[in-house]
Amino acid sequence: MLKKTTFAAALLAATVLSGAASAKTFVYCSEGSPEGFDPGLYTAGTTFDAAAHTVYNRLLEFKKGTTETEPGLAESYTVSDDGLEYTFKLRPGVKYQTTEFFTPTRDFNADDVVFSFDRQLKADNPWNKYVTGASWEYAAGMGFPEVIKSVEKVDDLTVKITLTRKEAPFLANVAMPFASIVSKEYADKLQADGKMNQMNQMPLGTGPFAFVAYQQDAIIRYKANPDYWGGKQKIDDLVFAITPDASVRYQKLKAGECHLMPFPNAADVAAMKADTNLKVVEQEGLNVAYLAYNTTQAPFDKPEVRKALNQAINKQAIVDAVFQGAATPATNPIPPTMWSYNKAVEDDKYDPEASKKGLEAAGVKDLKMKVWAMPVSRPYMLNARRAAELIQSDFAKVGVTVEIVSYEWAEYLDKSKAKDRDGAVMLGWTGDNGDPDNFLDTLLGCDAVGGNNRAQWCNKEFDDLVTKAKETSDIAERTKLYEQAQVVFKKDAPWATIDHSLSIVPMRKGVEGFVQSPLGDFAFDGVDITE
C-alpha cells in the first residue's frame, strides 16, 4: 500500500465506501500530463487519450480493436468517381455536452465540421493561431492544407470535402484524433468573451465523457455524458491519475487505487500475470522507437556519419535491458506487422570497429553530441533514460562523447521539433490509422519537417515515392512504392531504428469491456467495473 494517499485514491475510496447511490468511478493511472485539451494542436498519445478519446468524436471512428473505420458523427459517405469529392451525411440529433462552463443551445451540425477543419487549414482563420506557437502539426505534417481544397456545408446535415488530388488514406485520416470535431457555438462564445485559450483548457465536445476539471500534473476528472449519442456510459466518473513512474503506477494498481495502467516495467509483467487480483492483455504493437539525427546539422548532415553511428548501437542490448524480451530490434521505420513492410531490407549490423572506421573515413574526430531522452514511458520505449545510457556507452566505445538531456514531456515534444535542434532525439510512434503513410509520410515526409519529422530530413526520392503511393488506391502498387521508400530510408539513415515492442496492458480483475487498441489508444467508452 502506498504511504501517501493520492487525490485519485481518496476519490476512489470515498466513492467505494459511501456507496454513493451505486455510482461508479473508474481511475486510470495515466503516464503523463496532456499538452493541452485541443487534439488538433498536438500529436502525443498522452494528449489524445485525455482529450480526443474522452471528450470528442470524429466523422468516422476506428472500430474497437481494429484499424477499420466505421460511422461516427457521419452516418455515411459517398466518394465521387474521380476520387476527389467526399460527401458526408451527418448523424442527426447529436448533443453537445452540457457543463458548468457552457450550455449548448443547438445540436451538432455541418457548421461544426467546417469550422473544425478550416481552423487547421486556413492561416487567416481567427482560430488558426489562438494558442501561441500553434502549428496544427498533424494536419500540416500530412499535407492537409495542400490536399484539401475546400470543406463546404451543403445543408445542416451534409458536408462536402473536395481534395486537390487523390488521397488513398483520406478516410482513415479523418478518423484520427487530430480531426476531432469541436463546437463552433462554443468557439464563438469564447471568442466573443475574449477567452479563446479556454478551448485548449476546458474542452467541450460530443464524446462519451464531459470534462470537469484538471489539476496540473496531478489529476483530470470527467463525468459520463448523459446525452451521448452512443448511450450513457456504465461508469459515472472517469479519473486520470497522472503517474509518470511505472513502478508507482504498478503499486497503485496492486493497492486498488487505480483500475488500469499503461506501459508497465518489463520486469514487473511476470508478477502482474501471477497476481490473482489482476489480469494482463497484450498484443503486437503497431509501433517503432527511433533516434532521429538532425540531418541539417554537421556532422549529422552526412549519411555516412549517420550510418557509422548506427553501427555503434547494440539494439539487442537495449531490447534485453528495457523490454526483457517483449520487443524486437527494428530495421525499418514501419513495424513488421504492417502491410508493405520490406523484409528484404538489411539492418545496420552492430559493429563497433566498422563504426570507428566509418567515422574516421568521414573525417569525424572527438565528436561530442547530445542524445535526448524522453521523460515518460511510451509503448515503444518504456525507459528512455536507460536506453540513452546504453547508447551513451556504445558511442563512447567508438570515441563519441554523449550528453543525455531531457525536458518535461510537453516541452520535450515542442523543443525537439526545432530545425536547429542539436544532437539526436529519441522518440517513437504508434500508428494512428493502420496505414503505412501514417509512418512514412507523417514522420519522414518533407511536409513534416519542423514538426513530426524530427530528423528534419527532406529526401526528394523518398518524398516522391510516398506521395505517389498516397495518390493511388491500388494496394499492390502502393506496397511496391512503400517498399522502395524503405530502401531509400535505410540507405540515407536519418534515424537509428531501435525497436518494435509488445503492447502490454495490466488492469484489475473486475474491469470489463476494455478493448486493447492496435493504435495504442486508451479509450474508456464501453468499460465497466464489477469489483
Side-chain angles (χ1 to χ4, degrees):
M1 177 69 71
L2 294 177
K3 292 181 180 179
K4 182 178 179 181
T5 303
T6 64
F7 181 77
L11 176 63
L12 176 58
T15 303
V16 173
L17 292 173
S18 68
S22 71
K24 292 182 178 180
T25 298
F26 187 96
V27 181
Y28 169 56
C29 279
S30 66
E31 78 285 5
S33 301
E35 302 150 280
F37 289 92
D38 185 342
L41 291 168
Y42 307 107
T43 62
T46 313
T47 301
F48 292 158
D49 293 341
H53 303 310
T54 49
V55 176
Y56 294 107
N57 293 120
R58 290 136 295 279
L59 291 176
L60 302 178
E61 302 283 355
F62 289 108
K63 189 181 299 182
K64 288 278 189 182
T66 78
T67 58
E68 302 171 30
T69 59
E70 63 179 2
L73 292 177
E75 285 189 317
S76 63
Y77 61 87
T78 56
V79 185
S80 63
D81 291 341
D82 63 6
L84 298 180
E85 292 184 358
Y86 290 73
T87 303
F88 296 90
K89 298 299 292 185
L90 306 183
R91 189 179 299 275
V94 173
K95 309 292 183 186
Y96 277 99
Q97 298 144 2
T98 297
T99 67
E100 290 184 1
F101 51 87
F102 186 75
T103 300
T105 65
R106 65 163 175 82
D107 292 349
F108 155 77
N109 66 28
D111 292 327
D112 303 312
V113 178
V114 174
F115 170 73
S116 297
F117 281 93
D118 278 357
R119 72 194 187 116
Q120 300 193 43
L121 302 176
K122 296 181 177 180
D124 61 351
N125 187 289
W127 283 88
N128 188 258
K129 294 292 187 291
Y130 87 96
V131 170
T132 302
S135 63
W136 306 102
E137 185 176 344
Y138 225 134
M142 301 179 77
F144 263 32
E146 294 77 38
V147 171
I148 297 179
K149 181 179 180 180
S150 63
V151 182
E152 301 170 273
K153 174 182 178 179
V154 178
D155 57 45
D156 276 354
L157 292 176
T158 311
V159 171
K160 182 173 73 173
I161 300 180
T162 304
L163 307 185
T164 59
R165 64 170 190 244
K166 290 184 178 180
E167 185 84 352
F170 182 69
L171 289 173
N173 291 346
V174 299
M176 288 165 55
F178 83 97
S180 295
I181 304 302
V182 302
S183 166
K184 185 178 187 300
E185 184 187 20
Y186 180 45
D188 288 345
K189 180 68 164 59
L190 293 177
Q191 188 173 0
D193 292 347
K195 298 179 179 179
M196 293 172 74
N197 274 347
Q198 190 170 304
M199 177 72 80
N200 196 35
Q201 299 163 357
M202 301 170 73
L204 182 136
T206 59
F209 297 97
F211 175 84
V212 175
Y214 173 42
Q215 182 181 339
Q216 180 74 34
D217 299 330
I219 190 168
I220 316 171
R221 294 181 58 231
Y222 310 86
K223 63 180 180 181
N225 176 9
D227 300 317
Y228 182 48
W229 58 269
K232 184 182 179 296
Q233 298 305 300
K234 295 175 181 177
I235 53 178
D236 300 287
D237 297 288
L238 174 64
V239 174
F240 278 38
I242 298 166
T243 315
D245 189 303
S247 297
V248 177
R249 291 199 295 275
Y250 178 29
Q251 291 300 317
K252 288 183 177 181
L253 186 69
K254 284 199 297 184
E257 294 179 13
C258 61
H259 294 98
L260 185 146
M261 64 168 280
F263 320 136
N265 288 323
D268 293 332
V269 173
M272 290 174 171
K273 290 180 176 179
D275 189 332
T276 57
N277 293 314
L278 305 180
K279 58 184 176 182
V280 179
V281 297
E282 60 184 50
Q283 65 182 12
E284 290 286 339
L286 198 69
N287 61 43
V288 64
Y290 60 82
L291 188 70
Y293 304 106
N294 188 339
T295 61
T296 68
Q297 305 290 314
F300 311 110
D301 55 340
K302 296 179 180 180
E304 59 268 32
V305 172
R306 303 192 295 264
K307 295 284 280 187
L309 289 170
N310 286 356
Q311 287 183 295
I313 300 174
N314 187 344
K315 291 191 280 193
Q316 187 62 54
I318 294 174
V319 165
D320 292 343
V322 175
F323 294 94
Q324 299 195 9
T328 56
T331 298
N332 291 321
I334 63 174
T337 52
M338 176 167 275
W339 62 271
S340 83
Y341 182 85
N342 192 338
K343 296 179 181 178
V345 172
E346 292 187 8
D347 201 8
D348 300 308
K349 290 183 173 61
Y350 173 55
D351 190 339
E353 287 304 313
S355 174
K356 282 183 186 178
K357 292 176 181 177
L359 290 172
E360 288 173 4
V364 175
K365 293 181 181 180
D366 301 320
L367 176 62
K368 292 180 172 61
M369 64 179 289
K370 291 181 179 178
V371 167
W372 294 41
M374 300 170 293
V376 297
S377 300
R378 304 304 302 143
Y380 46 76
M381 181 49 66
L382 299 178
N383 189 333
R385 181 79 192 190
R386 179 66 178 132
E389 289 169 350
L390 291 168
I391 292 171
Q392 182 184 49
S393 177
D394 287 339
F395 281 2
K397 293 171 186 174
V398 299
V400 176
T401 302
V402 166
E403 177 191 354
I404 299 172
V405 298
S406 191
Y407 301 91
E408 182 273 329
W409 185 219
E411 187 179 8
Y412 184 97
L413 291 170
D414 184 54
K415 284 180 176 293
S416 63
K417 292 184 289 188
K419 293 183 180 181
D420 61 352
R421 185 207 74 235
D422 52 7
V425 62
M426 191 183 302
L427 259 176
W429 195 255
T430 299
D432 286 313
N433 63 12
D435 195 291
D437 176 77
N438 184 240
F439 284 79
L440 299 177
D441 189 40
T442 301
L443 302 180
L444 293 159
C446 292
D447 283 339
V449 168
N452 281 325
N453 188 339
R454 265 36 180 223
Q456 316 301 344
W457 181 67
C458 181
N459 180 295
K460 187 177 186 304
E461 183 182 5
F462 178 93
D463 207 61
D464 287 348
L465 287 166
V466 297
T467 299
K468 186 176 180 182
K470 289 199 296 186
E471 294 174 359
T472 177
S473 57
D474 184 276
I475 292 295
E477 178 64 17
R478 292 188 76 201
T479 296
K480 181 180 176 182
L481 292 166
Y482 287 138
E483 287 176 345
Q484 292 174 29
Q486 289 165 73
V487 172
V488 176
F489 164 87
K490 204 63 183 181
K491 179 181 178 182
D492 217 42
W495 296 352
T497 51
I498 300 176
D499 70 80
H500 308 293
S501 71
L502 281 177
S503 175
I504 300 172
V505 182
M507 65 194 80
R508 300 289 299 178
K509 203 80 165 181
V511 174
E512 296 182 350
F514 178 81
V515 179
Q516 191 174 14
S517 169
L519 305 175
D521 303 332
F522 284 83
F524 301 103
D525 53 309
V527 171
D528 196 6
I529 42 178
T530 59
E531 61 181 357

